[in-house]
Amino acid sequence: MKIKVLIVDDQEILSEGIRSVLSSSEDLEVTGTAVDGCDALEKMEENLPDVVLLDIRMPNMNGVVTTGEIKKRYPRVKVLILTTFDDSDYILSALNNGACGYLLKDIGAPALIDAIRNAYAGDTILPAKIARKISDAAKMVSSDRDIKLRRAYNFSDREAEIALMIYEGFNNRQIATALNLSEGTARNYISTIYMKTSSDNRSDAIAKMKEVLSR
C-alpha cells in the first residue's frame, strides 16, 4: 500500500518539483497539490492523504493554522512542515499545533522521501538544525519562570527546562528530540516532575505550574 501525500505550497513550480521528486519513489503517491490551507482542507474532503507536506507562509490560511485545522478534523493524518523559514516561533507554533516534523527546503530528495516514510510511521522529524533552534528557544524562556519553578518544586536545571517545555505544550517525543535525549530518559524526567509537583498527569502538572508562575 502506498503512502498518500498531499503537497501544499503557494508556489506552483515548487509543488510540481516536489511532486516529481516524490514520484520517483514506488511507495509514495502524490494525491494532489493545494495552494493554501483552505484549498488543502477542501481537497482533503475529497481524497484524504496519509501525510500532508505543508509550507508555513501561505495566503488565506498559513501553515500553522492549517496544521491545527487538519489535526482537529483528521487526527490520524501526519503533518510535515516543509519551508524555507527556520524562525523558532514558526517551529514551536507548528509543533504545538500538531505537526510531526519541520523540514527546510534545502533538504535533499532522498532525505525528504525518508522523512515522509518516517512521519507516516509515527516518528517526529526534526533535523539537527531545527532541534537546536527549539533547544535555544527553550533556553531563552524567562529566567524568572525558571527560578520560580525551581524554588517551588526543588527542580534541577534539567527538570526546570523540561517542565517549562511541558508547560509550553511540547509532547514527550518533541522534548526528547529537542534536548537530544532518549524518549525513555525524557519520560523519567517527566515522571520526576509529576512526583515533585504532586501531579497525576500532564494537565494536572501544567495547572499547578500555572499557579506558581502567575504569582
Side-chain angles (χ1 to χ4, degrees), residues 152-173:
Y153 299 115
N154 195 28
F155 285 155
S156 67
D157 289 345
R158 179 64 95 185
E159 288 164 358
E161 183 177 25
I162 292 174
L164 283 169
M165 293 182 79
I166 291 171
Y167 186 77
E168 294 293 338
F170 287 85
N171 63 35
N172 293 11
R173 183 171 289 174

Side-chain angles (χ1 to χ4, degrees), residues 133-158:
K133 285 273 186 179
I134 295 173
S135 181
D136 290 345
K139 289 174 183 175
M140 292 183 68
V141 172
S142 169
S143 60
D144 179 57
R145 297 164 79 190
D146 182 272
I147 291 168
K148 282 184 176 180
L149 289 181
R150 281 193 280 123
R151 285 178 177 171
Y153 299 115
N154 195 28
F155 285 155
S156 67
D157 289 345
R158 179 64 95 185

Side-chain angles (χ1 to χ4, degrees), residues 11-73:
Q11 298 184 53
E12 186 176 351
I13 191 169
L14 290 179
S15 290
E16 291 306 317
I18 295 167
R19 180 198 282 270
S20 178
V21 166
L22 301 188
S23 296
S24 68
S25 176
E26 293 183 356
D27 61 337
L28 301 183
E29 175 190 351
V30 177
T31 60
T33 61
V35 296
D36 59 36
C38 297
D39 188 24
L41 291 168
E42 286 181 9
K43 289 181 174 170
M44 289 177 72
E45 290 179 1
E46 301 168 3
N47 191 354
L48 192 64
D50 300 306
V51 178
V52 177
L53 205 55
L54 183 65
D55 194 10
I56 203 80
R57 277 195 186 176
M58 299 179 293
N60 301 318
M61 184 185 289
N62 68 31
V64 171
V65 176
T66 304
T67 298
E69 284 298 315
I70 290 172
K71 297 305 291 184
K72 187 192 307 179
R73 301 182 193 190

